[in-house]
Amino acid sequence: MGKYLTSFKKRLATARILRPPKVLAREMATKGSWPHRVRTVTEAFPKKFTFFHPVKCPGGALVKRGTWNPRTRTETYTCPDKTKKKFIRSKTPGEFFRRKYGRCSEFAQGLHAALKYMGIKSRMVLAYKPGFDHVWVEAWNPRAKKWIRVDPTMKKGAYGYTWHLGPKARYFKGT
């Protein structure tokens, strides 16, 4: 559990951008109500970025487990035909926006940074239970006075979607 929490805290610390990334500039400049602005940015993520898991190999085979190299932050997946595919973890939102692919933690870190840049109070949420973890974002709706869950990894950038991970799940929220 400790490695997930440590990684989560590092992502929170680096979730900052100095200017809108080119890939999201139009969506981040959207005018309108708070829900419209948040939804527009969240729904852009699955359209503009690729979710990297499981890995698709030639012939349609899927590989779920790779070999991790912590020194290079790279996972190497070996397909049934012996070809290899590499996945490089992004440390910062800038890296994620340049590479245009990632997993839930990269997606959440990118959305969190984009919302903060737009002046929208947000936080990242890590949910963990044995064998499963997921990271998403919650944005503070000042009018409704509550946190709204937004998940940039879901097909339509789920706005208000609730994850039910069961009684053994542990949640960590950080701003």
Side-chain angles (χ1 to χ4, degrees):
M1 181 58 196
K3 70 177 182 177
Y4 293 109
L5 200 51
T6 302
S7 173
F8 179 69
K9 288 178 181 176
K10 283 181 184 175
R11 289 198 175 278
L12 280 171
T14 59
R16 289 183 182 82
I17 54 175
L18 300 176
R19 61 184 160 277
K22 289 180 184 175
V23 69
L24 286 175
R26 190 172 49 115
E27 289 82 1
M28 289 175 67
T30 299
K31 303 288 183 209
S33 65
W34 183 94
H36 176 71
R37 293 173 60 219
V38 171
R39 190 180 298 246
T40 299
V41 171
T42 304
E43 289 177 353
F45 272 73
K47 294 173 188 163
K48 301 199 178 234
F49 304 103
T50 303
F51 189 76
F52 198 93
H53 200 14
V55 175
K56 267 192 187 167
C57 294
L62 298 175
V63 180
K64 293 183 180 179
R65 193 154 314 258
T67 306
W68 171 246
N69 182 337
R71 189 175 50 80
T72 60
R73 298 183 346 261
T74 303
E75 293 173 13
T76 305
Y77 294 84
T78 305
C79 294
D81 66 355
K82 302 298 183 220
T83 59
K84 295 190 183 286
K85 295 210 172 195
K86 291 190 183 266
F87 170 64
I88 303 169
R89 298 300 301 236
S90 298
K91 261 182 157 172
T92 64
E95 284 182 26
F96 169 68
F97 292 136
R98 276 192 305 279
R99 289 189 178 119
K100 298 183 184 173
Y101 69 84
R103 296 223 181 98
C104 61
S105 56
E106 283 94 358
F107 274 64
Q109 184 183 23
L111 179 60
H112 179 53
L115 292 174
K116 280 176 34 178
Y117 181 86
M118 294 167 62
I120 295 169
K121 186 177 176 181
S122 65
R123 65 186 182 189
M124 288 174 37
V125 180
L126 165 67
Y128 173 82
K129 69 178 184 178
F132 182 82
D133 66 279
H134 188 56
V135 182
W136 65 87
V137 176
E138 290 181 346
W140 178 253
N141 185 329
R143 192 171 204 173
K145 295 186 179 10
K146 65 180 183 178
W147 291 99
I148 305 295
R149 290 179 185 98
V150 287
D151 191 340
T153 63
M154 303 207 46
K155 290 236 188 251
K156 291 192 176 183
Y159 176 90
Y161 181 82
T162 303
W163 279 94
H164 298 287
L165 298 176
K168 291 188 178 183
R170 296 180 64 191
Y171 296 86
F172 300 93
K173 300 177 182 185
T175 54

